[in-house]
């Protein structure tokens, strides 16, 4: 059975009809490293992207919850287009 990085941590094994837990901790650690590196460079789009990836795999990771929103906010604040800044927070996605 193949898994993708963004799938849920539990999967149904089609051969045995049982649920198996997938360990994504190595992906999460890599995403955290990339997110922290992007934060240090103030690359807010990448900060949001990588922390969102962490959240997908660890929904209770407080660092990811905070910095994914922070990255989105900072990204909109550095944009010179006021309509684009406003749209970043009024969209549902």
């Amino acid at each position: 059975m193949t898994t993708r990085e963004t799938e849920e941590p539990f999967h149904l094994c089609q051969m045995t009809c049982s649920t198996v837990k997938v360990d994504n901790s190595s992906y999460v650690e890599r995403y955290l490293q990339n997110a922290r590196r992007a934060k240090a460079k103030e690359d807010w789009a990448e900060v949001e992207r990588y922390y969102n990836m962490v959240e997908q795999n660890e929904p209770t990771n407080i660092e990811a919850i905070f910095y994914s929103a922070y990255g989105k906010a900072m990204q909109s604040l550095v944009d010179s287009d006021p309509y684009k800044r406003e749209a970043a927070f009024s969209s549902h996605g």
Side-chain angles (χ1 to χ4, degrees), residues 1-90:
M1 180 171 81
T2 40
T3 60
R4 294 181 320 198
E5 297 173 13
T6 58
E7 290 180 342
E8 295 296 319
F10 292 95
H11 299 280
L12 180 64
C13 178
Q14 294 178 3
M15 293 183 357
T16 63
C17 294
S18 61
T19 303
V20 293
K21 181 164 176 49
V22 176
D23 181 11
N24 288 334
S25 60
S26 64
Y27 293 123
V28 170
E29 190 54 40
R30 193 170 343 141
Y31 297 151
L32 282 169
Q33 290 173 359
N34 289 336
R36 291 169 183 150
R37 195 173 300 122
K39 186 169 55 112
K41 294 188 304 184
E42 297 184 2
D43 183 345
W44 304 119
E46 290 295 294
V47 168
E48 181 187 7
R49 176 177 169 238
Y50 281 112
Y51 278 118
N52 279 335
M53 292 170 129
V54 173
E55 271 190 279
Q56 288 175 5
N57 289 283
E58 286 186 7
T60 59
N61 184 305
I62 195 70
E63 179 183 351
I65 292 167
F66 176 81
Y67 280 113
S68 62
Y70 184 85
K72 183 175 184 172
M74 292 302 292
Q75 186 177 356
S76 72
L77 290 174
V78 297
D79 196 320
S80 61
D81 182 348
Y83 297 108
K84 201 171 178 183
R85 285 196 307 261
E86 183 178 339
F89 290 97
S90 61

